[in-house]
Structures are given as C-alpha cells and as structure tokens.
Amino acid sequence: MSLAPATRRLFDGVYRTLFEQHPQPMWVYDANDLSFLAVNAAAVRHYGYSLGELERMRVLDLHPAADQDRARMHWRDSRPARKRTWTHLRKDGSEAEVETTSTPIATEGVDARLVVAEDVTERNRADRALRESKQRYQALVGDAYESICLVDADGKIIYLAPALHRMFGYEDDELLGLDGFALLHSDDVGRVEELRREILSKPGTTTAFECRARMKTGEWRWLQGIAANMLTDPGVRALVLNYHDVTNRRRAEQALRQGEQPGGIDDWIWELDLDGRFTWSSPAVERMIGFKASELVGRYFWELYFPESHDKVKQFFARLVAARSGWTELVQRLRHKNGSECFVETSAVPRFDGDRMIGFRGSDRDVTSKTKFEQRIRHESRRDPLTGLPNRIYFQERLATVLQRTREQVAVLFIDLDHFKLVNDTFGHVVADNALQVMASMIRSIAGAEENVARLGGDEFTVFVPGISGHDEARAVATRLLDALAVPLTLDGNAIHMSASIGMSLFPVDGNTSAALMRNAEHAMHRAKDLGRNRIQHFTPAMREEQARRLALESDLRRALANREFLLHYQPLYDAATWNVVGMEALIRWQHPTRGLLQPDEFIALAERTGAIVPIGAWALHRACSDLMHCRKVTGRDLRVAVNLSARQLQEPELLDAIRDVVRDTGVDARLIEFEITESVAMQNAEATLPTLRALKDMGVSLAVDDFGTGYSSLVYLTRFPIDTVKVDRQFVGNVMTDSSAAAVVGAVVALARSLSLKTVAEGVETAEQRDFLSRHHCTEMQGYLFSRPIHIDAFLRLMRDGDKGR
C-alpha cells in the first residue's frame, strides 16, 4: 500500500497501537476493487481467516448473499465516516452482526478507506428482544403487564415495567442492564439461580418462587415471582417475570404461626373449627368475595369453592390434621357471592388448645391476575400466534404422548407450501398472512382434531394421524390435504394459486419417537420438492443420507466463494455462416476440496434455494467480463460472452446497479454481454420480470431465452419480451436425425425466431449431420462437443490462436 507522505507518517506512528494491536477488527481496503490492503490481528481472530487469506479476499467476501449489492454500493461510497450495521460471515459459516465505520484516508494512486468494526451481535439481539417483548407481552398478559420484568439468559434486566421501578424506588430505566441477582438477598441468590437454569432448559414452562429484594431505600421486601421461559427472538433466550409484593402476607403468615391475629394487611384472615366450619372471619372477605364476615360463621370452608375443587380442599385440611404442624398452601377457584370466579391462594396452620387440635387458622389472598397470567403464558407458549394452531413444542409433546399409549400405526405428514415466498413478495405480508390463516383452517378441518396439527413456522405445517391401518390410509389423508391446498384463493381481490409438497413417515416402521418421525417426514418433504413439488413422498432411509449430504454441501457452499473454489469454463459459440467463433458461454464449475470438480446441476439449485446464487452470479459475471477483456487484449477481437441469470437474481432490487458496477470495473462494452434466462424463469411472474428485462436492454446488454421449447412456450409473452436470441434446447437438437417430431420442433423454432428477427443458437451439436441439418434450416449460431467442450480461458485463447474454424 502506497500512502501519501503525511498519511504515511501518521499511519506508521499509530500502526502498532491503533491498528495492529487495536482490540476491535480494523482493516484498510481499496474502494475500487474492494480488496483488503491491510488487516489487523483482531480481524483475523474475529473472522477466523488467516492473515494471508484475508489479504487475498475482498470486503464483499464477508457479506452473505442478500447483502452483496448493498454492500458493494456502501464500500464504494466516498462520503466520510459512514456507519452501517451488517451481518458478516466468519470462515466457519457462522454469522455475526457487525457495526462498521468507514473513513477515507489519503493515499497515492489508491482510493483507500480505513474501517473499524465492532461485533454488536449480543447488543442487537438484546435490543430486538426488548422491543418485541414490550409489545408482545403487553398484549399477552393484559393488566399484569405493569408488573412485568424481562431478564436475559445471564440474568441481566432488559425491561422493567414502570410500576416495578416505582416499587423498587428507582427512576424509569435506571435498572436496565444491571444484574438482577444484585438486588436479591444473599440467602436467596443460590436458590433463584438454580431455578433460572432449570427453567431456561424448559421452553414454555412457568415456575413460581419467592425471594427478598432490596429497595433503593435499603429496605428488604418479599416478592413473589412467576417466571416463564419464552423465545422473544429466534436464538434469544429470555425470562419473563411477573412480580408481586407479598411482604404483608409474609408478615401475616408469621403472625399466624405464632398464634397472633395479624393486622394492617389486605388478605382475608379466618379461623375454622376441626370440621372445617368458620368460627371467625376478618372483614376483608367482603372485598374479596362479596360475603360479610357474619354470613360465613358456621358454614363449611369448601362450600365457597366450585364443586370440582371440594375434594382438593378437604384433602388440604386432611394433610394438616395428619401432620399436626407445618404450613400448607393451596390455589383453587373460589366462587364470588355474585357467582363469578376468582382464584385464591390459601395458607393455613393447625390451631391447638394445649396439645389438643381444635381447628385451623389461615389466610386467603386474591391471585386471580397472577393465575390467569400463568394460564395465558402457558397457552400462548404452546400456540402459533398467527394461526392459533399448536406450535412445534406442543405438537411434539402431544405426539409423544400418543406414541407412548398406542399400539396402532401413526402417520406424520410434513407440509411445505410451494413458492410461498413469491406470494409474500408479490402481494405483501398482510395477504400472505391471510393466506397462511386460510391454509391453516383447511389443514385443521381435514386433520380433525386441532391438537393433531401444528404450524412450525413460515409456510411449514405438520399433521399426525393416529390409528391408521397403513400406508394407503395415510396417503389418502395426504391426498385430501394436497387437493385442498391447491384450490385457488381470492384474498383482497388477489387471485392466489398455491400447491404443497408433503412428506410422510409412519410409526413405528419409520421411527418410534416424535422427533424421529418429524425429522424423517421432513426428509421426505424435501425429496418431494426435488421431484417437482405439488406431490406426496413417503420416507425412505436413503433420504436421510441424501439430506445429510445436502446439508454438508450447503455448509460448504457458504464458504466456497470466500475460499475461491469457483471457476469458469467457456464453450465457444460459432457463426453458422462463417464458422468463426463469435462468442463464448460462461459455465460455472465448483472445485470442491473433497468432492472434486462439481458440475452446475450438482449445486446451482441449492445455491438458488439458499440465496447464495446472488453473490455467486455476481462473481461469475465479473470474472466472465474480466476474461472477455483479457481475450480482447490477446486476440484483438470483440466477442460476446453469455452469462446465465437466475430467477433469484432477477428478483434482486439492486441487480441493475450491480451490473453497472461490473461494466465500470472491467471496462467491458455492455453490448458484448448476453444474459441467458430460461423460458420458465421468463414466463413465471412475467409482469414483474418484464420491467427488469427492459431496463437491462436499456443498458445495452442482449437477452437470450435458454432451453426454448421445454417450458411455457407462450408466443404472446415471447413477442412482448425484449429478446434478441432464442436458444434451441439440446434435447431437441440431439434427436433431429432420428425423431421427426424433434426435427419439426427445431425447424418451427428457427422459423419462428427468423420471423421475429431473432437469432437462434443450437445447443448440444455433436455430429456433422446435426450441424448440416441446422445449417439448412438457417440456424444462426451453434455450440456443442462437435466444435469444443467447455474449456478454461487459457485453452480458449489457444483455440483462438490456432484457428477457430468450426468446420
């Protein structure tokens, strides 16, 4: 790196302290080609690459697929001190949220920038959890919201309701970020910590506990907490706590233990005889359940409860009689005088006259809001908020219970809606959510019992069907689901056509646990997707192995671009009139470190599905244009290069900017670039595709429809699209000499293209007979093994140097 003199003195002076030894990742990069010029040790540690690896990489290699185009624009922006938060990829494929500040520095001949990066993964995760939890829990717990506290997995307070701030005596938000254990009495910390670890290991559960907390004044007060473990954000564990001050109740209990009548508290205090009839009641009973104290004398205590609780109340007192000492508590539904219900927590001790037990003394307090809070938390933690269906946790518990009790066969169906992302992208989240609710209702109606259905998230559902006779009955249920989900919907005036892919596994042949059956049904669903979607697939053991290979390949794919494992081969395009090379088609290959050279059909579909196709496609275009310019320099000829453009790339809003960047970076003439799109990609969602294709034409590039005749074959759309070239699919070309139908198709396609003033390129020409047939029908260009296999750029240049005649 050649720095300007003033900058060199500054940089040399602080390099070791502010750069090389800085605790945060820092680097200097070239704003033109985005390559790293210098990288500090903290960046090496943070991203997991060696110093040599980073220095051979570009800044874009740190970004996932979805961010590539935006990142390119940001890193080339000349404005000073630009701050941005990104998701970055480490070498092992893990993600980190990083806040970067980019500042231009003076250099000689290089537009360089200095970047300071800070890992803000945990901070942002906590912020997201706090923002979403406030709204979610306010709706979830209603009136109990004012007593809510949220703590993260380490016990730090991330939200405290205003009422709790006031109770503790602190200003609003004064306790945020503090360790919640610091407020607890030392005798309670160990017990509460043990409960915290236990509940964090059991999502969806609740636990009640009591502890002493120090107010700002220094006073210790007793609090009762209800802790619930709920996921506030994917991957973020947090506890929601509902606190109540129970200091007065504790004092009352102490008084009752000592045989005293407690005063100055709001709880209802009472005394009973040995048969359980009231002998005395405090006036607080009227406020709690509407009865006057005098109305209760002589009545049995359990008569105040709803009938289903009578036996539990009698057993409660029987335990006190048997123990003759101790302290017992009970929470049950009590009937108000007006007939309404409330939940009360009863605490009681035996009363004695000398050694003779003569009755009971106790207290009740209203815990209706606390109990309903627990019930609501328990219910919501087991339900999908959008559809109301059971979630994964509840579904697995229910399925596991059924499997333990049955000796019959059980089918598990894993349902994934096909192309649902397209519905979301086209019509928006509101319509997409409505569609999911309708689909959930259909699935519920066919499955029968709601508890046998779950929404797992996104567009995935699962169903189990107990008591089936075998595979055929399970498939019949799956077929009814498939047919129902394929019925067109009309939502907000939009016509929506859906389908589904369904995987199926059977108990006990395909697994004997809920987790195994769901996992195997999911493997089968992925196989149904691979076979073309809108179908049912039964699980086989081979699918498990294939899925494991797929996941391993996906993990490798995330790192392949950064590790420079992709390469391009080029197949020459020959003019059918002169037999000169007029262009080359760029074909990507993956030099996998353990599997060897992989062809596109082994990884492109995976790249498309994961979104990796966007950065891979961007790299391929840049590499192809660079090689084209090198070829022009060596041969002095202007060839065109054909590059594939995927459906996912066409959906990218920054596609045009990315192409302009490549044209600017490489110096290529845009008129020498030809983008190939398949017929199905062009015709699918044609109205959305058309503006992008027209914008590409305005840039000067040419467009070709690949594999023509194998997809939709809509002549109306073909005339509307700004197409320059039609490529005849190799499956027709290969059969022109043996199949009259194939010959007729090829002749018709070439004639159609000529009538529309379009070029035609025949793929897969392997024999002289095929070549001559195509020439007689006036095909414009050809490519195939007869002329040349796809070859490396060096071999392509040798072919050009040695004579490129195709005959």
Side-chain angles (χ1 to χ4, degrees):
M1 178 174 58
S2 177
L3 301 175
T7 307
R8 176 183 295 280
R9 288 193 297 272
L10 172 64
F11 202 71
D12 287 346
V14 301
Y15 184 90
R16 286 185 298 275
T17 56
L18 292 184
F19 187 80
E20 191 174 61
Q21 298 179 14
H22 198 283
Q24 293 176 199
M26 297 178 69
W27 63 79
V28 177
Y29 73 97
D30 185 328
N32 290 312
D33 63 11
L34 305 186
S35 61
F36 289 107
L37 300 176
V39 182
N40 75 348
V44 171
R45 291 191 299 270
H46 185 266
Y47 291 104
Y49 293 98
S50 68
L51 180 61
E53 287 175 322
L54 281 171
E55 289 180 341
R56 290 191 299 272
M57 291 166 57
R58 303 168 72 212
V59 181
L60 290 180
D61 295 334
L62 301 178
H63 292 271
D67 288 346
Q68 288 281 319
D69 293 336
R70 288 187 294 114
R72 184 182 292 104
M73 294 175 64
H74 173 83
W75 295 120
R76 286 181 173 153
D77 198 315
S78 60
R79 283 175 286 179
R82 297 205 65 203
K83 180 175 286 189
R84 188 73 178 268
T85 300
W86 304 96
T87 296
H88 277 180
L89 297 176
R90 299 185 178 93
K91 184 177 180 178
D92 62 5
S94 62
E95 295 182 347
E97 291 185 62
V98 178
E99 185 177 85
T100 61
T101 302
S102 171
T103 306
I105 58 175
T107 58
E108 292 177 346
V110 179
D111 184 6
R113 316 284 167 81
L114 173 67
V115 177
V116 180
E118 178 185 2
D119 191 322
V120 293
T121 306
E122 295 304 322
R123 186 187 75 190
N124 288 352
R125 188 174 292 169
D127 288 345
R128 284 195 301 270
L130 174 58
R131 288 195 303 271
E132 296 179 9
S133 296
K134 285 182 180 180
Q135 296 178 351
R136 179 180 179 186
Y137 290 116
Q138 187 169 16
L140 177 65
V141 303
D143 295 339
Y145 180 70
E146 281 301 307
S147 55
I148 286 292
C149 172
L150 294 175
V151 298
D152 64 18
D154 297 321
K156 287 188 170 51
I157 298 171
I158 56 178
Y159 175 74
L160 198 68
L164 288 180
H165 269 100
R166 292 191 293 272
M167 183 178 75
F168 279 90
Y170 291 88
E171 299 295 327
D172 288 353
D173 296 340
E174 194 174 348
L175 293 175
L176 292 186
L178 297 182
D179 186 347
F181 291 101
L183 301 174
L184 302 185
H185 195 284
S186 58
D187 292 344
D188 298 332
V189 169
R191 178 169 47 83
V192 175
E193 165 64 13
E194 184 178 348
L195 286 172
R196 183 187 70 85
R197 286 197 301 268
E198 179 182 356
I199 197 170
L200 277 172
S201 67
K202 300 176 181 178
T205 59
T206 60
T207 298
F209 64 96
E210 292 188 2
C211 60
R212 285 159 289 185
R214 185 178 66 250
M215 306 296 109
K216 191 171 185 178
T217 61
E219 175 190 10
W220 291 98
R221 298 191 69 81
W222 279 96
L223 302 180
Q224 182 179 69
I226 305 296
N229 176 10
M230 301 190 70
L231 295 177
T232 59
D233 188 64
V236 179
R237 297 186 303 167
L239 298 184
V240 54
L241 304 170
N242 185 13
Y243 275 126
H244 293 280
D245 189 329
V246 294
T247 305
N248 289 339
R249 193 205 74 193
R250 280 278 185 164
R251 291 170 180 168
E253 291 169 354
Q254 183 64 27
L256 287 171
R257 286 192 179 96
Q258 296 172 358
E260 302 171 359
Q261 291 292 347
I265 65 170
D266 295 330
D267 291 352
W268 167 33
I269 311 298
W270 43 260
E271 290 183 353
L272 311 176
D273 64 18
L274 202 55
D275 293 327
R277 289 176 294 203
F278 284 99
T279 58
W280 175 85
S281 172
S282 71
V285 66
E286 185 172 2
R287 174 186 51 79
M288 186 176 295
I289 59 173
F291 291 94
K292 295 182 182 300
S294 58
E295 294 181 86
L296 297 182
V297 175
R299 294 185 62 176
Y300 286 103
F301 184 79
W302 51 81
E303 291 178 359
L304 300 179
Y305 288 81
F306 283 87
E308 70 270 14
S309 297
H310 286 182
D311 289 343
K312 292 181 181 178
V313 177
K314 292 176 182 178
Q315 293 168 9
F316 168 75
F317 287 110
R319 289 196 300 271
L320 281 174
V321 171
R324 293 183 61 82
S325 64
W327 184 266
T328 306
E329 295 179 346
L330 175 75
V331 176
Q332 288 295 309
R333 275 199 320 152
L334 199 67
R335 194 199 321 258
H336 193 279
K337 188 176 181 179
N338 64 16
S340 63
E341 70 168 16
C342 65
F343 287 87
V344 296
E345 183 177 78
T346 300
S347 303
V349 292
R351 281 195 306 132
F352 291 89
D353 181 5
D355 292 334
R356 185 170 63 92
M357 185 184 298
I358 60 172
F360 310 94
R361 177 184 291 113
S363 67
D364 278 275
R365 69 186 184 98
D366 191 327
V367 292
T368 302
S369 63
K370 183 196 81 170
T371 305
K372 289 187 174 181
F373 166 79
E374 279 189 275
Q375 292 175 341
R376 207 172 303 170
I377 286 285
R378 190 175 299 113
H379 174 81
E380 294 296 331
S381 67
R382 299 159 70 87
R383 295 280 168 173
D384 169 53
L386 178 65
T387 64
L389 292 176
N391 60 16
R392 182 187 294 270
I393 294 173
Y394 184 20
F395 181 85
Q396 286 185 308
E397 290 175 355
R398 166 96 172 132
L399 176 57
T401 301
V402 169
L403 297 180
Q404 290 171 358
R405 296 175 178 175
T406 189
R407 294 184 178 179
E408 298 178 300
Q409 295 188 76
V410 178
V412 173
L413 309 177
F414 198 107
I415 306 164
D416 186 276
L417 303 180
D418 297 329
H419 302 300
F420 185 75
K421 184 180 184 301
L422 185 60
V423 175
N424 205 9
D425 293 344
T426 304
F427 302 108
H429 293 294
V430 174
V431 171
D433 285 350
N434 289 342
L436 286 173
Q437 290 169 334
V438 173
M439 295 294 179
S441 179
M442 291 179 180
I443 295 171
R444 183 192 294 119
S445 65
I446 292 172
E450 180 177 292
E451 289 74 15
N452 296 358
V453 186
R455 180 186 177 219
L456 304 182
D459 58 357
E460 293 181 341
F461 298 85
T462 190
V463 175
F464 74 83
V465 187
I468 61 169
S469 59
H471 177 276
D472 290 344
E473 186 177 348
R475 191 172 187 88
V477 175
T479 300
R480 291 202 301 274
L481 286 167
L482 202 67
D483 292 343
L485 296 176
V487 175
L489 305 177
T490 301
L491 298 173
D492 293 346
N494 301 299
I496 299 175
H497 298 268
M498 301 279 285
S499 63
S501 299
I502 301 179
M504 182 171 64
S505 63
L506 295 183
F507 167 85
V509 63
D510 297 325
N512 54 17
T513 67
S514 60
L517 289 167
M518 290 178 66
R519 183 171 60 249
N520 291 340
E522 184 176 8
H523 291 326
M525 180 275 293
H526 284 298
R527 181 60 177 162
K529 292 276 190 187
D530 292 341
L531 292 174
R533 297 180 168 85
N534 192 28
R535 65 185 63 223
I536 302 162
Q537 187 67 40
H538 185 258
F539 170 77
T540 64
M543 293 177 188
R544 185 188 301 115
E545 299 170 6
E546 175 59 29
Q547 185 68 5
R549 287 194 295 268
R550 184 200 305 272
L551 291 174
L553 193 65
E554 182 176 337
S555 177
D556 294 342
L557 188 64
R558 292 170 62 91
R559 298 188 290 268
L561 196 58
N563 292 343
R564 302 177 183 273
E565 294 171 4
F566 292 113
L567 65 149
L568 292 183
H569 284 177
Y570 297 96
Q571 187 165 40
L573 293 164
Y574 286 84
D575 184 287
T578 66
W579 300 113
N580 290 327
V581 173
V582 291
M584 55 187 188
E585 181 180 2
L587 300 167
I588 194 167
R589 305 289 187 262
W590 180 5
Q591 188 63 56
H592 191 279
T594 59
R595 301 188 186 189
L597 191 67
L598 301 183
Q599 300 298 314
D601 58 0
E602 297 179 84
F603 64 89
I604 287 298
L606 178 63
E608 182 88 14
R609 186 165 54 249
T610 61
I613 192 66
V614 175
I616 292 173
W619 171 86
L621 177 61
H622 197 283
R623 179 76 267 163
C625 290
S626 297
D627 286 345
L628 183 68
M629 293 303 290
H630 178 60
C631 185
R632 181 177 185 272
K633 181 179 179 180
V634 172
T635 67
R637 292 173 58 180
D638 280 332
L639 304 178
R640 79 176 191 277
V641 63
V643 182
N644 288 288
L645 197 60
S646 73
R648 186 67 175 266
Q649 288 173 280
L650 277 173
Q651 296 169 10
E652 287 295 311
E654 296 175 348
L655 171 66
L656 301 177
D657 288 335
I659 295 171
R660 292 188 187 97
D661 286 343
V662 170
V663 170
R664 185 187 65 241
D665 290 351
T666 62
V668 69
D669 186 337
R671 292 172 297 180
L672 299 178
I673 301 174
E674 181 175 74
F675 286 115
E676 294 186 2
I677 56 175
T678 63
E679 186 179 358
S680 57
V681 167
M683 306 313 169
Q684 179 185 339
N685 196 17
E687 296 305 320
T689 303
L690 185 56
T692 303
L693 297 182
R694 286 174 174 164
L696 287 171
K697 282 292 294 180
D698 291 341
M699 292 173 58
V701 303
S702 59
L703 299 172
V705 174
D706 198 6
D707 301 338
F708 189 79
T710 63
Y712 291 76
S713 300
S714 172
L715 301 185
V716 174
Y717 280 129
L718 187 59
T719 57
R720 291 180 58 197
F721 284 136
I723 300 299
D724 301 282
T725 304
V726 174
K727 299 194 72 173
V728 186
D729 186 70
R730 66 183 64 247
Q731 73 181 47
F732 296 117
V733 172
N735 294 322
V736 293
M737 305 309 298
T738 59
D739 184 341
S740 59
S741 297
V745 168
V746 172
V749 169
V750 174
L752 171 65
R754 290 186 68 195
S755 69
L756 297 174
S757 300
L758 303 178
K759 290 190 302 183
T760 50
V761 176
E763 300 179 301
V765 181
E766 297 186 354
T767 68
E769 292 77 14
Q770 294 168 359
R771 176 197 62 196
D772 294 342
F773 174 91
L774 293 164
S775 294
R776 288 196 304 272
H777 285 79
H778 307 289
C779 182
T780 315
E781 296 174 5
M782 303 181 201
Q783 64 183 114
Y785 286 2
L786 175 65
F787 310 108
S788 172
R789 292 174 176 270
I791 51 180
H792 190 268
I793 186 63
D794 294 336
F796 187 90
L797 290 172
R798 285 196 298 272
L799 180 148
M800 297 288 291
R801 184 180 63 246
D802 296 340
D804 59 350
K805 292 292 184 182
R807 277 193 182 272

